[in-house]
Amino acid sequence: MTTATVSADRLLRRAARRGGGWTALLAVASLADAVAITVLPLVLARTVDALLGGGGAAASALWLCAVLVAAGAAAEACTELAAGSGTAGATAWLRHTLVRHVLAAGPGLRLPPGEVTSRVVGGAAEAGVAPAALTQAAAALVPPVGALAVLVVTDWRIALAIVVALPLIALLLRLFVRDITATAHRYLDVQGAIAARLTEALNGARTIAAAGTPEREVRRVLEPLPELADEGRRMWRTQGDVAARGLLALLLLQVAVVAVAGMELMTARITPGEFIAAVQYAGLAAGFGPVVTHLLRLGRARAGAARAAEILERPTLTYGTSGLPPGPGRLELRGVAAAGVLDGVDLVVPGGAAVAVVGRSGTGKSLLAALAGRLADPDAGEILLDGVPLRDLSRPALRGAVGYAFARPALFGETLRDAIGFGLARPAAPRVREAARTARADAFIRRLPAGYATPPGDAPLSGGELQRLGLARAFAHAGRLLVLDDATSSLDTATEMQITDALLGGSGGGAGLGDRTRLIIAHRAGTAARADLVAWLDGGRVRAYGEHHLLWHDPAYRAVFGAEAP
């Protein structure tokens, strides 16, 4: 048994416990239904014998048959209700668990968004049926086992004819579970690949339209469809093979039982009623159709759970319990290595200073920015804020101290006011407006019909306006450290100069940015020239650290900015 299978089964057991009373009701109702099905042929046998014998027990036997039929119908109704409700509860728990883990892992998850969506939505739905499928599969074993037990009591020769075939049927079921689980896993994998490609296409819809390649993208997105069809056909072939072999086994078994029971009836070892019961019990003993159905659902559930378990095995950030002492926001990196890109980075950013991080593409600037505020953890080394390791800080302490602005910010919240204050415990309106003014966003927000109450989806925002909102959110959020990762790339020149003034101590600083530590991923020499210090990344390390005008004497440093003058 593979590690993935063990993880999937462990996850399914945890999901089963979330069924609560519904799982218990399902077990009771399924068992009651199975018992009714098992007992009914025996009662029918007694009824037939009573009618043939002319005794007075026929009426009571008929009433007992009616009671068993009614009890079975009621139990079946309860089974459907409990199975549906228990499945819904298990699926909801799985989705909550997956979404919580995905968001806790953050950018460190490293899975395509479409693949994650497929596993959270489709995979969880497949896995959620496992508790009900397993319970019903177990209950479905009661009629075959019960039938065999009754036949042993009735006539051991008839039971022997059935016992001979049972090992073959058990082997058939075991192979079925193995094959259907593997096939279902591959089927869901291909589904996830299609979902990932579709998400990429939707995110790049403007590029596709501009290039005039929608048909080409349709072919690319749906390219795995033949493989999906192959896996689907393989799944149905597996199920069909088992069903066909099971039907053949059932027919042969019934023929054998009829032959043996007929001889037993002729020799008066059994009664006519017991003959009828023996034929029916032969069908129950070899009738593993319901078991196969539930095992099919269980196999698909295990496949969905295995895909979900792969997400849950990805590491997440865990927070400490420490707070931050009073301090200016001094950031220190000691021997930091990460993702095979950064290797032994040592860097001290003085509290309240503005430090520009420069370097050629691929040198790890954005990775360093992510590590600085613990959007990711380094593979080695330590990062401290005002002397406290970031790993030791509680979530509120860390997230209240660090603000981020990105090249392509995402807006969350019902209004633009909510979007700017997103993540703040109490986003006060004056603080939000001050941050928006500093980011030069206040003017265009006020021009909107509903102003700050405008829903983000209703605001026709340009790329520059979206970046300004992202900057405003970072300004409102950063208590000690402000990290800007290419956050002004879409701004017009005049607006960028105004915001750079605010960031780097020029006129109209606003929002108190000058007293915060600022780590700025810079691509322009002008931004680096106005920063207090420049950290030059090269070859996974800090090649040089100092003032821009001193570094500028190095031709390799000037080459980072191409022909651009300081």
Side-chain angles (χ1 to χ4, degrees):
M1 186 176 291
T2 65
T3 303
T5 302
V6 173
S7 299
D9 290 343
R10 187 182 301 117
L11 181 62
L12 291 179
R13 286 194 295 269
R14 292 174 61 194
R17 289 196 290 269
R18 297 314 186 277
W22 290 115
T23 302
L25 176 61
L26 177 62
V28 172
S30 300
L31 183 61
D33 188 24
V35 169
I37 291 172
T38 305
V39 174
L40 185 59
L42 186 60
V43 176
L44 284 174
R46 298 291 182 264
T47 304
V48 169
D49 289 340
L51 290 172
L52 291 177
S60 59
L62 285 173
W63 276 110
L64 184 54
C65 286
V67 169
L68 285 173
V69 170
E76 189 172 351
C78 290
T79 298
E80 292 298 323
L81 173 63
S85 300
T87 297
T91 302
W93 176 81
L94 283 166
R95 284 178 176 158
H96 276 87
T97 301
L98 286 170
V99 170
R100 190 178 296 112
H101 192 91
V102 165
L103 297 181
L109 189 63
R110 296 175 186 173
L111 277 175
E115 178 72 23
V116 174
T117 302
S118 171
R119 297 185 187 212
V120 171
V121 177
E126 293 282 2
V129 306
L134 182 60
T135 302
Q136 289 178 288
L141 288 171
V142 172
V145 174
L148 186 60
V150 172
L151 287 176
V152 168
V153 174
T154 303
D155 191 293
W156 63 269
R157 298 173 185 82
I158 302 175
L160 183 62
I162 296 175
V163 169
V164 171
L166 286 182
L168 177 61
I169 296 173
L171 177 62
L172 195 65
L173 293 178
R174 185 172 182 274
L175 293 176
F176 171 70
V177 173
R178 184 199 64 188
D179 294 344
I180 204 66
T181 298
T183 303
H185 197 296
R186 292 192 296 268
Y187 185 88
L188 293 174
D189 280 343
V190 179
Q191 273 191 335
I194 293 175
R197 295 185 182 200
L198 178 59
T199 302
E200 291 172 2
L202 293 175
N203 289 335
R206 288 190 300 179
T207 302
I208 294 169
T213 58
E215 289 302 321
R216 174 179 165 184
E217 282 304 301
V218 168
R219 290 193 297 273
R220 185 184 72 86
V221 170
L222 300 180
E223 183 182 6
L225 270 182
E227 186 180 356
L228 187 72
D230 288 343
E231 294 299 339
R233 284 191 290 268
R234 190 174 291 112
M235 190 184 307
W236 289 114
R237 275 199 304 272
T238 301
Q239 186 178 3
D241 288 347
V242 171
R245 293 169 187 170
L247 179 60
L248 179 61
L250 172 62
L251 291 175
L252 292 176
L253 193 59
Q254 284 183 319
V255 169
V257 167
V258 168
V260 174
M263 288 188 293
E264 296 298 284
L265 178 63
M266 291 174 61
T267 57
R269 289 195 182 97
I270 62 173
T271 65
E274 289 173 336
F275 173 83
I276 295 174
V279 174
Q280 290 180 315
Y281 278 129
L284 288 179
F288 285 90
V291 179
V292 170
T293 299
H294 298 310
L295 288 180
L296 170 64
R297 296 168 64 206
L298 184 59
R300 292 176 61 93
R302 293 180 78 201
R307 286 166 51 80
E310 290 170 7
I311 288 183
L312 296 178
E313 289 169 358
R314 302 293 176 102
T316 60
L317 292 178
T318 56
Y319 293 85
T321 57
S322 300
L324 279 169
R330 183 177 187 268
L331 180 69
E332 184 176 359
L333 287 76
R334 298 176 180 172
V336 169
V341 178
L342 299 179
D343 182 19
V345 172
D346 293 306
L347 178 65
V348 176
V349 181
V355 173
V357 180
V358 304
R360 293 185 180 276
S361 178
T363 55
K365 300 186 297 296
S366 292
L367 177 58
L368 188 146
L371 295 171
R374 208 181 171 222
L375 296 183
D377 278 332
D379 299 326
E382 192 172 38
I383 305 172
L384 302 92
L385 182 61
D386 283 325
V388 181
L390 296 188
R391 292 177 184 270
D392 295 343
L393 290 174
S394 67
R395 186 195 299 269
L398 177 60
R399 297 306 165 203
V402 183
Y404 270 95
F406 305 103
R408 292 181 294 276
L411 301 182
F412 296 94
E414 296 183 2
T415 66
L416 292 181
R417 182 182 295 106
D418 295 337
I420 295 173
F422 184 72
L424 296 175
R426 295 178 180 176
R431 182 175 178 179
V432 167
R433 285 195 295 270
E434 178 64 21
R437 280 194 290 270
T438 305
R440 303 302 186 264
D442 179 71
F444 77 77
I445 293 175
R446 288 183 179 277
R447 285 196 297 269
L448 296 171
Y452 282 86
T454 304
D458 294 345
L461 301 174
S462 67
E465 289 170 337
L466 182 61
Q467 278 198 338
R468 279 183 270 173
L469 289 173
L471 286 163
R473 180 174 61 201
F475 295 164
H477 205 283
R480 301 191 189 193
L481 174 63
L482 180 61
V483 183
L484 274 67
D485 185 3
D486 199 21
T488 60
S489 57
S490 297
L491 301 180
D492 60 83
T493 304
T495 303
E496 184 181 10
M497 290 181 61
Q498 293 172 339
I499 291 176
T500 302
D501 283 342
L503 282 170
L504 301 177
S507 60
L513 298 182
D515 61 352
R516 304 177 203 180
T517 305
R518 287 142 289 162
L519 191 69
I520 304 167
I521 306 303
H523 298 278
R524 295 184 176 89
T527 303
R530 296 188 61 184
D532 297 317
L533 295 166
V534 176
W536 175 17
L537 287 184
D538 187 36
R541 295 175 178 268
V542 177
R543 177 167 174 174
Y545 185 43
E547 297 180 15
H548 172 77
H549 71 277
L550 298 176
L551 298 178
W552 190 255
H553 296 295
D554 188 332
Y557 177 77
R558 293 198 300 271
V560 171
F561 303 100
E564 189 177 351

